[in-house]
C-alpha cells in the first residue's frame, strides 16, 4: 500500500471515531459545567502558549467556566499528547497540537499511545510562518544571497534548529532539498538558545518560529531575509516570502485542537463552533496578530484531511533527508 493510501485509511478511521456520538451523552446535557483544561506540550511564553492563552481568556467569557492552560513541555510535545490521550473523553481535556504532532508520528513510531487513534481532531485554529534569520554580520540580504553563499561554500555554513526532527529542522531540510544546497545542521534544545548563538554568529542561519524571533528582528539584532509561508506575513510585510525566490516552498507552522477518542460528537461540535467564534473576537485577533499568527479555523474533517496531507509531505522530507531521532 502507498504512503498516501496508508495515511488516508488511518485518518478515515480517526475521523469516524470523532463523529461517533457516545451513548452516554444526553442531548439536553449542558457542557461545560466545570473548568476546561487546555493541555500543551511546550513551556509558558512559547508560540503554543500564546495561542492557548488568547483563546482561553475569550472562551472563559463564552462558557462561564475557567479555562486552565496546562503546560507539559518535553519530548517535542509527546508528554502532553500522552496525557491527553489517556484522559476521560468528556471534553474537559483538550490538547493543543502543532506541526510537530505529525512529525512525531513519523519519527517516533513506538510511542506509548496511538496518535492516530487515541486522539481525534477538533479543528485547526492558527498558522504562523517560520522566518529565515541570519546574524547582522553575515553578508546576506535575502534568500538568493544565502543560496549563492551556500553553493560557493558547500557544507561550511551552519544552520540551527530547535532540535532534530522539529519543524525548524524539517523546514530547513526542505529548503536545502529544493535549492540543492548543503549546510551543517546544529540542533539545539529549543529555539531560544539557538537564536542566542545565531546573534553571536556561532551559527549562520536559522528558520525560526516567528514569535520568538520577532523581538530580535525589531531590535536589529538579527536580519530577517524571508518567511516560510506562501505569501508575506502581515507581521513582517517588507520581508519576502521564500517562495518568491524558491517557487512552491511552504513550511508554515500550524496549531489545532484534538480531544480523546470517544468524546461525544455534540461536544466536539460545540468546541469547534466556540473556538471558531473566539478566533473572530477582537482581543484574540489582536493578541495573535501581535505575535505574527493568523487565525485559520477549520472543521474537524478539514483538519483531519490537512494533517493527512502534512504526514505525506513531511514523511517524504524525513525519508529524503534520512532523519532519525533516538
Amino acid at each position: 500500500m502507498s504512503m498516501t493510501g496508508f495515511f488516508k485509511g488511518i485518518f478515515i478511521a480517526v475521523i469516524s471515531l470523532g463523529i461517533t456520538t457516545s451513548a452516554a451523552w444526553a442531548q439536553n446535557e449542558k457542557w461545560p459545567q466545570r473548568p476546561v483544561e487546555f493541555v500543551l506540550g511546550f513551556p509558558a511564553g512559547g508560540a503554543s502558549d500564546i495561542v492557548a492563552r488568547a483563546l482561553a481568556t475569550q472562551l472563559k467569557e463564552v462558557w462561564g467556566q475557567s479555562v486552565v492552560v496546562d503546560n507539559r513541555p518535553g519530548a517535542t510535545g509527546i508528554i502532553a499528547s500522552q496525557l491527553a490521550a489517556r484522559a476521560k473523553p468528556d471534553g474537559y481535556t483538550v490538547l493543543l497540537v502543532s506541526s510537530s504532532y505529525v512529525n512525531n508520528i513519523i519519527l517516533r513510531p513506538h510511542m506509548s499511545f496511538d496518535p492516530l487513534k487515541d486522539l481525534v481532531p477538533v479543528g485547526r485554529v492558527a498558522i504562523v510562518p517560520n522566518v529565515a534569520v541570519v546574524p547582522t554580520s553575515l553578508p546576506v540580504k535575502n534568500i538568493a544571497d544565502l543560496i549563492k553563499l551556500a553553493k560557493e561554500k558547500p557544507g561550511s555554513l551552519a544552520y540551527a534548529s530547535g532540535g532534530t526532527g522539529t519543524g525548524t529542522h524539517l523546514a530547513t531540510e526542505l529548503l536545502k532539498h529544493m535549492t540543492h544546497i548543503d549546510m551543517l545542521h546544529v540542533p539545539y534544545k529549543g529555539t531560544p538558545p539557538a537564536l542566542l548563538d545565531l546573534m553571536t554568529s556561532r551559527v549562520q542561519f536559522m528558520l525560526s518560529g516567528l514569535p520568538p524571533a520577532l523581538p530580535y528582528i525589531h531590535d536589529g539584532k538579527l536580519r530577517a531575509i524571508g518567511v516560510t509561508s506562501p505569501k508575506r506575513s502581515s507581521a513582517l510585510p517588507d520581508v519576502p516570502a521564500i517562495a518568491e525566490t524558491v517557487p512552491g516552498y511552504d513550511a508554515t507552522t500550524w496549531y489545532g485542537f484534538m480531544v480523546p477518542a470517544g468524546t461525544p460528537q455534540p461536544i466536539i461540535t460545540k468546541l469547534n463552533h466556540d473556538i471558531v467564534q473566539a478566533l473572530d473576537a477582537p482581543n484574540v485577533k489582536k493578541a495573535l496578530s501581535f505575535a505574527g499568527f493568523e487565525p485559520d479555523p477549520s472543521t474537524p474533517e478539514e483538519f483531519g484531511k490537512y494533517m493527512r496531507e502534512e504526514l505525506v509531505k513531511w514523511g517524504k522530507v524525513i525519508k529524503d533527508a534520512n532523519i532519525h531521532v533516538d
Side-chain angles (χ1 to χ4, degrees):
M1 181 183 291
S2 69
M3 179 179 287
T4 302
F6 173 72
F7 287 131
K8 182 177 181 180
I10 287 173
F11 263 92
I12 287 173
V14 169
I15 292 171
S16 296
L17 280 170
I19 63 175
T20 300
T21 302
S22 169
W25 172 263
Q27 291 295 334
N28 61 353
E29 184 174 347
K30 290 185 177 181
W31 177 94
Q33 297 182 355
R34 56 184 172 86
V36 177
E37 186 176 51
F38 282 176
V39 181
L40 52 148
F42 299 92
S48 297
D49 193 63
I50 293 170
V51 175
R53 292 183 188 279
L55 286 168
T57 299
Q58 179 65 21
L59 289 169
K60 178 183 177 181
E61 301 300 317
V62 174
W63 292 336
Q65 297 286 349
S66 297
V67 181
V68 180
V69 177
D70 185 6
N71 300 90
R72 297 294 184 104
T76 324
I78 292 176
I79 292 174
S81 298
Q82 177 179 282
L83 185 154
R86 295 175 177 173
K88 187 177 180 180
D90 55 9
Y92 290 99
T93 301
V94 185
L95 176 70
L96 179 65
V97 298
S98 69
S99 305
S100 62
Y101 188 82
V102 297
N103 300 342
N104 284 334
I105 293 172
I106 303 163
L107 289 164
R108 304 174 188 273
H110 304 297
M111 289 185 277
S112 62
F113 69 101
D114 189 335
L116 295 170
K117 294 182 179 178
D118 295 341
L119 292 156
V120 296
V122 172
R124 193 174 57 246
V125 294
I127 56 174
V128 64
N130 294 308
V131 58
V133 282
V134 297
T136 55
S137 59
L138 193 73
V140 166
K141 305 295 184 184
N142 50 51
I143 286 293
D145 286 347
L146 178 78
I147 295 170
K148 182 174 182 292
L149 183 61
K151 287 186 174 180
E152 290 173 350
K153 301 179 179 181
S156 64
L157 294 181
Y159 80 87
S161 79
T164 300
T166 60
T168 54
H169 178 202
L170 301 188
T172 313
E173 288 298 324
L174 178 61
L175 179 65
K176 286 172 56 182
H177 177 77
M178 293 181 70
T179 57
H180 309 288
I181 60 175
D182 182 24
M183 295 187 290
L184 175 67
H185 179 213
V186 181
Y188 286 78
K189 293 182 178 180
T191 295
L195 289 173
L196 292 176
D197 271 7
L198 185 66
M199 283 187 284
T200 60
S201 298
R202 289 191 179 95
V203 286
Q204 289 74 51
F205 176 73
M206 183 175 187
L207 287 177
S208 166
L210 185 56
L214 270 179
Y216 300 119
I217 295 168
H218 290 323
D219 290 346
K221 296 178 179 178
L222 290 173
R223 179 184 300 124
I225 61 172
V227 293
T228 63
S229 48
K231 298 180 180 179
R232 298 190 183 199
S233 168
S234 58
L236 293 171
D238 296 329
V239 177
I242 293 175
E244 294 177 36
T245 302
V246 186
Y249 181 82
D250 178 13
T252 305
T253 298
W254 51 263
Y255 298 85
F257 284 107
M258 304 185 79
V259 289
T263 300
Q265 178 60 27
I267 292 180
I268 295 176
T269 299
K270 180 172 175 55
L271 263 170
N272 180 273
H273 173 272
D274 291 350
I275 288 169
V276 170
Q277 293 295 309
L279 286 169
D280 199 41
N283 60 312
V284 175
K285 284 184 175 180
K286 182 178 179 180
L288 295 182
S289 176
F290 182 78
F293 294 95
E294 295 180 19
D296 190 37
S298 77
T299 66
E301 294 78 13
E302 289 168 343
F303 188 31
K305 179 177 181 292
Y306 179 75
M307 291 174 72
R308 183 176 74 237
E309 293 167 350
E310 288 285 280
L311 279 164
V312 174
K313 173 181 177 177
W314 295 111
K316 185 176 186 306
V317 172
I318 289 167
K319 180 179 179 181
D320 289 347
N322 195 29
I323 297 171
H324 300 278
V325 295
D326 296 332

